[in-house]
Amino acid sequence: MLSNILVIILVLLMLASAITAIQAKELVVSIISAGLVSLLASVLYLMLSAPDVAMTEAAIGSGLSTIIFFYVLNKVRGGENG
């Protein structure tokens, strides 16, 4: 029962983060929100007894993708200024 409530809370947080990622005016906020969606998904995978999928989602979906998005954003902004 408690795990079902936690899953519902995680899903609602994921939906709120996804909507924030779409609706945010600042790209930095969108990138962080998208990374948060992946991080919450990895917790959800862990709760659903899929630890290998959770580790992959946390490393690639939340970590690597967020770093790549910030790198590209920095390159694009650097190209606009110089």
Side-chain angles (χ1 to χ4, degrees):
M1 182 67 181
L2 182 62
S3 66
N4 288 341
I5 293 171
L6 288 175
V7 167
I8 291 171
I9 290 171
L10 280 174
V11 168
L12 290 176
L13 287 173
M14 285 174 61
L15 284 172
S17 296
I19 290 171
T20 301
I22 293 170
Q23 301 267 332
K25 302 288 183 199
E26 294 287 326
L27 287 176
V28 174
V29 175
S30 294
I31 292 171
I32 291 173
S33 296
L36 184 61
V37 170
S38 294
L39 188 63
L40 291 172
S42 68
V43 172
L44 187 61
Y45 291 141
L46 190 61
M47 289 181 66
L48 296 174
S49 300
D52 51 343
V53 178
M55 287 189 318
T56 304
E57 180 68 27
I60 295 175
S62 181
L64 186 61
S65 296
T66 303
I67 290 170
I68 289 174
F69 283 141
F70 275 121
Y71 176 76
V72 170
L73 182 64
N74 192 22
K75 285 290 186 184
V76 169
R77 285 185 177 166
E80 289 176 353
N81 294 334

